[in-house]
Amino acid sequence: MSLPGKAQAQAYPAKPIRLVVPFPAGGATDLLARAMSQRLAQSLGQQVVVDNRAGAGGSLGSGEVARAAPDGYTILLATSSTHAIGPNLNPNLPYKVDADFTPIAHVANAGNLLLVPNSLPVKSVAELISHAKANPGKLNYASSGNGTIVHLSTEAFKSQAGIFVTHIPYRGTALAIPDLVVGNVHLLIDSIVSGLPHVKDGKLKALAYTGLKRSALLPDLPTVAESGLPGYQSVTWFGVYAPKGLPPALVTRLNSELMSAMQAPEVRERLAKLGAEPVTSGTPAQFEAMVKADSARWATLIRERKISAE
C-alpha cells in the first residue's frame, strides 16, 4: 500500500514549486525566502519561484496557500504574525492553522532591538525602567501598528517591567524612526535589520536585544533577559507550511531539503546580514509544538492586556 507514496516522492518535483511569501518584496521574510529558494532549487532540481502575495497582515497569501492543492507545489513561508499572533487577534481569518496547514519546518528566528532616542537620559534597560516609573504617563512608545509583533513585544516588556508607557501606532516602524530620533516618541522595539543602521550612525541608542541570546551582529549588547527581566524574549520565527493533507513522504522530503538548505554557508551568510539565525534541525512535529506554545504565549498576553487589532 506504500508504493504510490514512494513513487510520488521519487518523482517529486516534476515541475517548479511556488513559495508564497505573504508580505511585500524587500522585507525580511521575502529576503529569507529568496536566499532559501535558490538553495532549494539546486538540491531539488526544479525552480522554486518566490511569489509575494501581500495584504491583510499576511493573511491574504496564507489563505491562498490554505486553499491550494496539497501536492507539494505550493508552500508558504509563514511567520509569528501569520500563524501565532494573527489567529489570536482575528477569529475571522480565512484559515485555521491546525485545520488548513501541514507544518513542514521551522527555518529561522530573528530578534529585535530595544531602541531609545539619544535625548532620553538612560543607558540601560534598568535605567529605562527606573525613568519610566519616575515619570508615569510621560513616556510613549511607537509600534508598526495595532496587533503587530512590535506592539505585543512592547506590551510584554511593559507588563514584566511594571511600567506605564503610552502606545502610539504607526503604519510601519520606518515611519516611526524619524519621530524616535528627535524624541517625539521614547521607545521602539524594532527589527535589528532596520534598527541597526540608525544605531551605527549614532542617531539612536540600542539598550538591549530581545532574543534569547546575544546577536552576533552586536555581541556586546546584552539581551533584555540579561538586563533585569529574566525570561523576556521577542523573537520572530519563520517556518514553512504546505496545505493540509500533504502526503507524509513529501513532508519528510521537504523537511530534509529545508534543513539542508539552512546549513548552506551562502544561506547562513545572507541570514546573518538580516540579523536572523538559521534553524538547521528539527522535525515537523517539533515545529508544530513550537508554534502552539508561541501562540498560547501571545494569546495570554492579548487577553491580559486587552489588545485588539483595531
Side-chain angles (χ1 to χ4, degrees), residues 113-202:
L113 296 176
L114 195 164
L115 302 169
V116 298
N118 289 325
S119 58
L120 198 69
V122 301
K123 295 181 180 179
S124 67
V125 170
E127 289 184 6
L128 172 64
I129 293 171
S130 295
H131 184 71
K133 288 181 175 178
N135 297 275
K138 294 183 180 180
L139 301 185
N140 51 50
Y141 76 90
S143 82
S144 48
N146 288 320
T148 62
I149 193 167
V150 176
H151 178 197
L152 270 64
S153 297
T154 316
E155 287 297 315
F157 177 82
K158 287 170 54 180
S159 177
Q160 193 168 346
I163 59 176
F164 174 71
V165 184
T166 304
H167 178 213
I168 300 180
Y170 289 75
R171 292 181 178 178
T173 58
L175 297 176
I177 291 289
D179 277 351
L180 187 69
V181 169
V182 299
N184 289 338
V185 290
H186 308 104
L187 171 64
L188 173 66
I189 292 178
D190 191 22
S191 162
I192 193 170
V193 182
S194 53
L196 186 56
H198 302 289
V199 175
K200 287 189 171 181
D201 66 17

Side-chain angles (χ1 to χ4, degrees), residues 66-262:
R67 296 186 297 271
D71 56 10
Y73 292 102
T74 301
I75 56 178
L76 172 74
L77 183 57
T79 71
S80 311
S81 295
T82 61
H83 280 56
I85 294 173
N88 286 302
L89 281 169
N90 183 3
N92 298 316
L93 288 179
Y95 57 87
K96 301 292 184 185
V97 174
D98 293 337
D100 295 332
F101 294 97
T102 299
I104 297 176
H106 178 195
V107 295
N109 295 312
N112 302 298
L113 296 176
L114 195 164
L115 302 169
V116 298
N118 289 325
S119 58
L120 198 69
V122 301
K123 295 181 180 179
S124 67
V125 170
E127 289 184 6
L128 172 64
I129 293 171
S130 295
H131 184 71
K133 288 181 175 178
N135 297 275
K138 294 183 180 180
L139 301 185
N140 51 50
Y141 76 90
S143 82
S144 48
N146 288 320
T148 62
I149 193 167
V150 176
H151 178 197
L152 270 64
S153 297
T154 316
E155 287 297 315
F157 177 82
K158 287 170 54 180
S159 177
Q160 193 168 346
I163 59 176
F164 174 71
V165 184
T166 304
H167 178 213
I168 300 180
Y170 289 75
R171 292 181 178 178
T173 58
L175 297 176
I177 291 289
D179 277 351
L180 187 69
V181 169
V182 299
N184 289 338
V185 290
H186 308 104
L187 171 64
L188 173 66
I189 292 178
D190 191 22
S191 162
I192 193 170
V193 182
S194 53
L196 186 56
H198 302 289
V199 175
K200 287 189 171 181
D201 66 17
K203 291 182 178 178
L204 293 171
K205 290 186 287 189
L207 301 186
Y209 181 64
T210 67
L212 289 175
K213 58 182 181 180
R214 296 188 182 196
S215 168
L217 294 179
L218 289 169
D220 294 330
L221 186 70
T223 65
V224 175
E226 286 180 279
S227 304
L229 295 182
Y232 178 90
Q233 63 162 313
S234 172
V235 176
T236 295
W237 57 258
F238 302 85
V240 176
Y241 285 90
K244 195 71 170 182
L246 187 70
L250 294 189
V251 175
T252 300
R253 173 78 185 280
L254 284 169
N255 175 273
S256 176
E257 296 288 0
L258 285 161
M259 292 296 90
S260 294
M262 301 317 292

